[in-house]
Amino acid sequence: MHAFSYQNGLLHCENVALTTLAEQHGTPLYVYSANTILDHFTRLDAALAGIDHEVAYAVKANSNIAVLRLLANAGAGFDIVSAGELYRVIKAGGNPAHCTFAGVGKTRDEMIYALQQGIYCFNVESEAELRYLNAVAAELGVVAPAAVRVNPNVDAKTHKYISTGKSENKFGIDFDSIEDLYARAAVELKNISLRGLQMHIGSQLTSVKPFVEAVEKVKPLALRLKEQHGIEFWSIGGGIGIVYHDSLASGNPSWWQQQSADTKPLTIEDYGSAIVPLLKDVGLKILLEPGRYIVGNAGVLITSCLYEKKGSAKTFKIVDAGMNDLIRPALYEGHHEIAPLKEQQGELVKADIVGPICESGDFFCQDREMPDFQAGDVIALLSAGAYGFAMASNYNTRPLPAEILVDGSSAKVIRRRQTLDDVLAGEVAE
Ligand SMILES: *Cc1c(COP(=O)(O)O)cnc(C)c1O
């Protein structure tokens, strides 16, 4: 479901005109659709209805506590990567007993906090970390639930910065040595309870094939670990890709000619029907950790055009959002469609959309055909709900944008815009 569409010439999120939000709250501004988030969660949950499963939303994709509350109320679990994310989940009303804790570099303090809160499982990424977790749990006089992440050495065929399931990536334990680790842990690590097995091969996968390949390869291992160590769950990770091109609900403007591999979506129904049959007979609870799929197409970043600059080689449209607000294009060549809030007819122009940051990487698109919007016009960068605000920074001393959650005809500020005093809070001049 996409809740962003033109109605009477104005771009809307559900029933709210984005022009109204831009006027009321200023730009840059993040806007999310509550019903899109819920629809994605519900559809994924339904696609897995045939198996014992839990959808653990990957908090890092969009961690606003209003978004977390929405998902907690819908029955989601959470996949966290820091104590900070666990703190957010708890503030949002989520249940730590439905949290898995991922990441290669958990600290002692993070382990203690998560143990005290009673999380469901630590997803461990190295033998050193497993031994350290055992020692921390022993000190506290508790037993830590753990799963080890297997690196299945499968090519996710995605951007190299978001590929995680190959032997050369820093994630997980080699497929060939992981069973020995479980065997040693069972004998030596008295304060570890081996509860599951985890994998996650990468992000923004646009084909079901690598998922199938990884599940088929790891399934015998999962079955042996169940047999030998009584594990109860197998997390198959997140990574379901979304469509970044042509991402409006209906009436896509004719000027959207950009095509790429992700134009054809990996539908959640395809994903479900490919993997559910493989998982039906394993007798393990299946965990999924989707982030981008849940929130990616549920959010936009709204930004105002400040100036147009016509150079000898290029035309630049300079906007008031920068790479500090949305870093995906700079970081991993992320694509965002451009949609003026007021539908525009007329000749297209080829231009770059750039921000105010003092970096050449500060662009949202380059050499793209687009409507000829001008200073004062406001545009939306679509599909910015995942890894958008969550990756924003104060670089160039720019306050973080506000965030709005739309539900039907209502629009609520779920994070106010930072003030300069917010940005400087904690600094000391002498
Ligand atoms: C980032 C991450 C996810 C979520 O990835 P998406 O591509 O957003 O679905 C899931 N699991 C782990 C371990 C991750 O690091």
Side-chain angles (χ1 to χ4, degrees):
M1 169 182 165
H2 298 300
F4 296 90
S5 62
Y6 285 108
Q7 298 170 28
N8 303 320
L10 295 180
L11 189 61
H12 280 63
C13 173
E14 301 196 21
N15 301 327
V16 178
L18 294 176
T19 43
T20 311
L21 296 178
E23 279 157 23
Q24 285 173 352
H25 305 285
T27 56
L29 183 71
Y30 274 97
V31 181
Y32 311 121
S33 155
N35 287 299
T36 305
I37 295 172
L38 288 175
D39 176 67
H40 290 168
F41 172 78
T42 309
R43 276 179 43 205
L44 181 56
D45 205 36
L48 296 159
I51 49 177
D52 179 18
H53 72 278
E54 174 153 329
V55 176
Y57 168 65
V59 172
K60 72 177 190 280
N62 183 327
S63 54
N64 186 290
I65 58 174
V67 171
L68 301 184
R69 171 155 303 176
L70 202 61
L71 287 163
N73 289 344
F78 296 96
D79 188 61
I80 56 170
V81 293
S82 69
E85 288 190 351
L86 178 54
Y87 185 74
R88 282 182 176 278
V89 168
I90 292 168
K91 284 278 174 197
N95 183 353
H98 288 263
C99 287
T100 48
F101 192 168
V104 298
K106 303 175 193 77
T107 66
R108 174 187 164 80
D109 286 351
E110 289 184 312
M111 288 175 177
I112 292 173
Y113 178 59
L115 283 168
Q116 286 169 342
Q117 297 301 323
I119 64 164
Y120 177 62
C121 197
F122 290 86
N123 291 343
V124 169
E125 304 232 14
S126 63
E127 176 159 0
E129 183 196 339
L130 190 62
R131 291 187 178 278
Y132 194 67
L133 178 62
N134 180 66
V136 172
E139 262 180 64
L140 267 59
V142 298
V143 172
V148 181
R149 176 168 177 174
V150 61
N151 186 325
N153 195 23
V154 163
D155 189 351
K157 300 209 163 44
T158 183
H159 192 277
K160 62 178 190 287
Y161 285 8
I162 50 177
S163 181
T164 57
K166 290 279 283 172
S167 299
E168 58 265 34
N169 298 130
K170 71 177 177 183
F171 300 100
I173 302 263
D174 281 344
F175 186 79
D176 295 329
S177 54
I178 193 164
E179 248 175 308
D180 286 347
L181 176 57
Y182 274 82
R184 281 199 300 282
V187 176
E188 297 171 27
L189 306 181
K190 299 296 177 209
N191 291 79
I192 295 288
S193 138
L194 295 167
R195 181 169 276 183
L197 174 68
Q198 201 268 344
M199 66 186 199
H200 172 68
I201 58 173
S203 196
Q204 184 54 15
L205 275 67
T206 52
S207 148
V208 78
K209 256 173 68 187
F211 289 116
V212 169
E213 197 184 327
V215 166
E216 282 177 340
K217 181 163 181 188
V218 173
K219 183 172 167 178
L221 171 68
L223 290 170
R224 287 198 300 274
L225 293 175
K226 182 178 78 161
E227 188 71 29
Q228 291 158 11
H229 304 291
I231 64 167
E232 66 188 43
F233 80 88
W234 176 15
S235 169
I236 60 169
I240 304 164
I242 63 167
V243 175
Y244 279 99
H245 294 73
D246 294 341
S247 41
L248 269 192
S250 58
N252 278 334
S254 56
W255 41 268
W256 278 359
Q257 294 141 353
Q258 301 262 346
Q259 296 291 327
S260 86
D262 79 354
T263 311
K264 201 173 157 297
L266 164 61
T267 71
I268 215 57
E269 290 72 23
D270 292 346
Y271 176 81
S273 56
I275 63 160
V276 165
L278 301 173
L279 296 168
K280 257 201 153 102
D281 58 349
V282 294
L284 291 165
K285 181 188 185 115
I286 301 300
L287 260 59
L288 282 98
E289 307 161 356
R292 188 188 312 272
Y293 164 74
I294 303 283
V295 290
N297 281 327
V300 298
L301 174 60
I302 295 176
T303 180
S304 301
C305 182
L306 299 172
Y307 308 105
E308 182 178 76
K309 174 160 122 174
K310 284 198 158 100
S312 56
K314 279 186 171 217
T315 297
F316 297 98
K317 293 183 184 287
I318 302 165
V319 297
D320 68 355
M323 65 188 284
N324 70 299
D325 302 302
L326 177 63
I327 203 173
R328 293 188 64 263
L331 187 64
Y332 35 58
E333 302 170 312
H335 177 96
H336 295 277
E337 291 285 1
I338 308 298
L341 299 198
K342 294 180 182 158
E343 199 166 12
Q344 253 181 282
Q345 310 297 338
E347 288 284 290
L348 301 182
V349 293
K350 188 179 266 191
D352 288 16
I353 298 179
V354 302
I357 305 279
C358 305
E359 301 274 349
S360 292
D362 182 30
F363 59 82
F364 294 115
C365 64
Q366 293 178 304
D367 298 317
R368 198 184 303 173
E369 297 274 334
M370 65 183 76
D372 195 13
F373 61 84
Q374 293 296 319
D377 291 337
V378 187
I379 62 168
L381 303 166
L382 303 183
S383 309
Y387 307 105
F389 186 95
M391 283 190 175
S393 79
N394 289 124
Y395 187 40
N396 283 202
T397 307
R398 289 165 47 82
L400 293 174
E403 294 175 285
I404 308 283
L405 184 64
V406 170
D407 181 0
S409 300
S410 99
K412 219 170 67 192
V413 178
I414 56 171
R415 182 179 171 117
R416 65 167 170 78
R417 188 175 301 283
Q418 270 191 328
T419 64
L420 288 175
D421 283 328
D422 290 335
V423 179
L424 268 57
E427 292 186 33
V428 181
E430 56 191 297

